[in-house]
Amino acid sequence: MTDENQIPVGDAAFRRTNLKGSTIEASYAGALSFMRRKYTRDLAGVDIAVTGIPFDQSVTNRPGTRFGPEGVRKASAQNAWGPQWPWMFDPFDTLSVVDYGDCFFDWGKQAEVPQAIEDHISGIIEGGASSMVMGGDHFITYPVMRAYAKVHGPLSLIQFDAHRDVEPEEGDRLDHGTMFNIAIQEGVIDPERSVQIGIRTTYHGERTYGMNIIYADQVHASSAQDIAAEIKKTVGDNKAYLTFDIDCLDPAYAPGTGTPVPGGLSTYQAQSILRKMTDIDYAGMDVVEVSPPFDHAE
């Protein structure tokens, strides 16, 4: 049995042949993938490859983000059909999106993990697609951005977060609070064309590097339109990478994270800003620090 888009009804994650269009499946059953997209490593004709990086060995507080990709896939099941509000159309009618599966690495050889992640994303880029990554702790953004910087040069970082993650650190330390410091020094990030949104922490030794910082209180005092306009003004026409740390949201909205900080954005605020961030040339994007064991209501 198939629906009007000629997509098999049930288990579309591996039964669909048409990469576009959506189909309704029971949210509580069937083979899970991101938004019921097809599981495949074939990138022919693919616009976006959604992929998980189940890594949480660089956290400074609570672990559990290794379960993030699994949790996001499960949560997406109830939203896996269009049209999507407020656009009132199904983005999968025009975008060819697949679930590329997860990045695999030997958890016992931690020093090899960054290169494994970079190679994984490079494979997607070389296949002609863009990646949307499900983390994983925030360290994973660094090797992902390295893969893109090899192609596009220094990127504009658009970072939704409670923390700036530029604590002073040199060398090959794996730490989800220091990696953007290293990325700036390596030329992966163009700091003056980057912006950090929702920040509400500070640490000794942090530098701004010229980055535009929109603190949480400014977000609360401004409209979504104004925040989006400031982001676009900063980035300009530079190639950008969007990273959304779930702890940008207040713990009342997203308790399932490793380093919750009060005073954050509401779900509505974040969605409103993101929806207005058009006319930006995105190379790739991610959502990180989702830790399902600490989310009591999925």
Side-chain angles (χ1 to χ4, degrees):
M1 187 170 106
T2 59
D3 66 7
E4 65 273 13
N5 294 316
Q6 299 302 303
I7 300 173
V9 174
D11 289 334
F14 60 85
R15 295 182 62 214
R16 71 163 57 236
T17 55
N18 186 354
L19 296 183
K20 291 185 177 179
S22 297
T23 185
I24 296 177
E25 296 189 26
S27 61
Y28 51 83
L32 286 177
S33 63
F34 179 77
M35 298 287 278
R36 303 290 192 183
R37 309 321 296 171
K38 183 178 179 64
Y39 265 120
T40 182
R41 292 282 171 114
D42 182 358
L43 295 176
V46 172
D47 297 310
I48 301 173
V50 180
T51 186
I53 302 180
F55 178 77
D56 64 359
Q57 291 174 267
S58 69
V59 297
T60 53
N61 192 31
R62 306 188 303 197
T65 58
R66 65 181 61 189
F67 302 111
E70 176 189 45
V72 172
R73 286 187 176 102
K74 183 177 180 181
S76 76
Q78 65 172 320
N79 301 302
W81 54 81
Q84 297 288 343
W85 185 89
W87 306 295
M88 307 313 291
F89 66 84
D90 186 348
F92 298 120
D93 286 341
T94 53
L95 283 174
S96 177
V97 182
V98 300
D99 192 320
Y100 196 71
D102 288 350
C103 173
F104 296 99
F105 46 82
D106 187 338
W107 58 86
K109 297 180 179 179
Q110 193 175 7
E112 298 178 4
V113 171
Q115 191 62 52
I117 295 172
E118 183 177 337
D119 292 345
H120 180 74
I121 300 301
S122 290
I124 292 173
I125 297 170
E126 291 164 4
S130 178
S131 67
M132 191 185 81
V133 174
M134 305 174 290
D137 67 50
H138 213 162
F139 175 82
I140 64 107
T141 301
Y142 164 54
V144 171
M145 291 189 71
R146 283 185 55 138
Y148 279 104
K150 287 190 302 185
V151 178
H152 302 293
L155 300 160
S156 291
L157 175 68
I158 304 174
Q159 177 188 355
F160 285 80
D161 208 324
H163 316 84
R164 296 193 56 234
D165 298 334
V166 291
E167 296 172 56
E169 189 62 57
E170 306 293 336
D172 57 358
R173 179 182 175 88
L174 273 66
D175 188 320
H176 70 164
T178 66
M179 69 286 173
F180 292 145
N181 180 347
I182 298 170
I184 290 171
Q185 294 180 55
E186 289 185 355
V188 172
I189 293 172
D190 180 346
E192 294 185 356
R193 303 186 77 175
S194 296
V195 57
Q196 299 174 304
I197 306 103
I199 305 301
R200 53 194 188 277
T201 56
T202 184
Y203 294 93
H204 180 72
E206 284 187 329
R207 293 170 52 192
T208 65
Y209 291 100
M211 282 194 285
N212 186 23
I213 305 170
I214 305 176
Y215 292 100
D217 56 353
Q218 182 181 344
V219 177
H220 293 311
S222 305
S223 69
Q225 185 66 51
D226 288 344
I227 297 299
E230 186 168 347
I231 294 169
K232 288 188 281 187
K233 180 180 178 181
T234 301
V235 173
D237 60 0
N238 197 42
K239 205 76 171 179
Y241 187 89
L242 171 64
T243 181
F244 196 103
D245 187 325
I246 203 68
D247 70 29
C248 180
L249 302 181
D250 190 87
Y253 300 92
T257 191
T259 49
V261 182
L265 278 61
S266 70
T267 305
Y268 172 76
Q269 284 176 302
Q271 287 180 320
S272 296
I273 295 168
L274 288 168
R275 286 168 181 153
K276 292 174 175 61
M277 288 168 51
T278 56
D279 301 322
I280 294 176
D281 188 6
Y282 297 103
M285 54 190 66
D286 66 46
V287 58
V288 295
E289 297 288 351
V290 174
S291 184
F294 296 101
D295 187 344
H296 68 281
E298 297 186 345

